[in-house]
Amino acid sequence: MNRDRPLRVCYVLAYRAPDYIRTQSILTALRQMPGVELRTAINTSTGSKRYIETLKAASVIAKEKWADVYILGFRGHELYWPLRMIAGRKPIIFDAMMSPFAALREESKHGLPGIMASGIVHLLEKRILQDSHTVLTDTELHARYFSKEFGIPERKIAA
């Protein structure tokens, strides 16, 4: 990475509420950080078209070889692997905020079918967290949970 220029960050999001307060908070923080240049690949549509829209925007940025690092916003689990293909070897910071596995298994979201699917979700979530350069969470308690549940080194998690 060339230190003679700002760190180029691409924030990627395909969420049904693209103006969600968490997104706005992170974008505001990134814009205020000295030495950081920001571009976004954020959906404007709210239906399933949002995924294609976001990946297309991220692809344009990747083809320009502009980004040094990608941040995948909240609820990005379904976009992680397509973004990994787009980003290549560039680091991806993953905003985990909450765990789909925990919602299914520990909170019984979706009842028995959710509990039954939680084993596969655990495996998929673990692979995403392991592959991510850094994992963002809300609290130190979340950080400890992700570390313990998914075997992620605590140094890789930022609350």
Side-chain angles (χ1 to χ4, degrees):
M1 181 169 26
N2 182 351
R3 296 197 183 275
D4 295 335
R5 64 168 174 76
L7 178 68
R8 293 177 174 172
V9 177
C10 177
Y11 186 85
V12 180
L13 180 77
Y15 189 50
R16 61 182 150 77
D19 290 328
Y20 185 59
I21 190 67
R22 181 176 188 85
T23 301
Q24 294 309 312
S25 298
I26 291 172
L27 291 175
T28 298
L30 288 167
R31 286 182 183 117
Q32 292 175 354
M33 291 177 74
V36 170
E37 195 174 320
L38 177 67
R39 284 181 65 185
T40 61
I42 297 178
N43 60 298
T44 54
S45 34
T46 55
S48 57
K49 189 170 95 174
R50 70 183 188 255
Y51 298 108
I52 295 166
E53 181 181 15
T54 298
L55 291 172
K56 190 183 231 182
S59 292
V60 168
I61 291 168
K63 282 182 183 169
E64 294 171 357
K65 298 191 185 311
W66 182 87
D68 298 315
V69 63
Y70 293 82
I71 298 175
L72 182 54
F74 171 60
R75 284 296 322 268
H77 294 83
E78 59 273 20
L79 274 188
Y80 187 84
W81 294 110
L83 179 60
R84 169 51 69 213
M85 289 189 296
I86 290 167
R89 295 186 173 272
K90 301 284 180 157
I92 297 176
I93 298 171
F94 185 73
D95 184 3
M97 188 168 127
M98 54 142 305
S99 166
F101 165 75
L104 293 171
R105 171 73 53 90
E106 297 168 17
E107 298 170 20
S108 297
K109 187 173 183 179
H110 302 297
L112 184 58
I115 292 170
M116 291 171 59
S118 68
I120 293 169
V121 171
H122 186 279
L123 180 63
L124 294 171
E125 189 171 356
K126 181 177 182 174
R127 287 292 301 128
I128 288 169
L129 298 174
Q130 287 175 338
D131 188 72
S132 298
H133 180 272
T134 303
V135 177
L136 301 179
T137 64
D138 281 356
T139 66
E140 290 298 328
L141 188 60
H142 281 106
R144 285 194 300 272
Y145 172 82
F146 281 112
S147 180
K148 181 180 176 194
E149 183 62 48
F150 298 104
I152 308 303
E154 286 190 34
R155 68 181 184 285
K156 187 175 174 171
I157 305 170

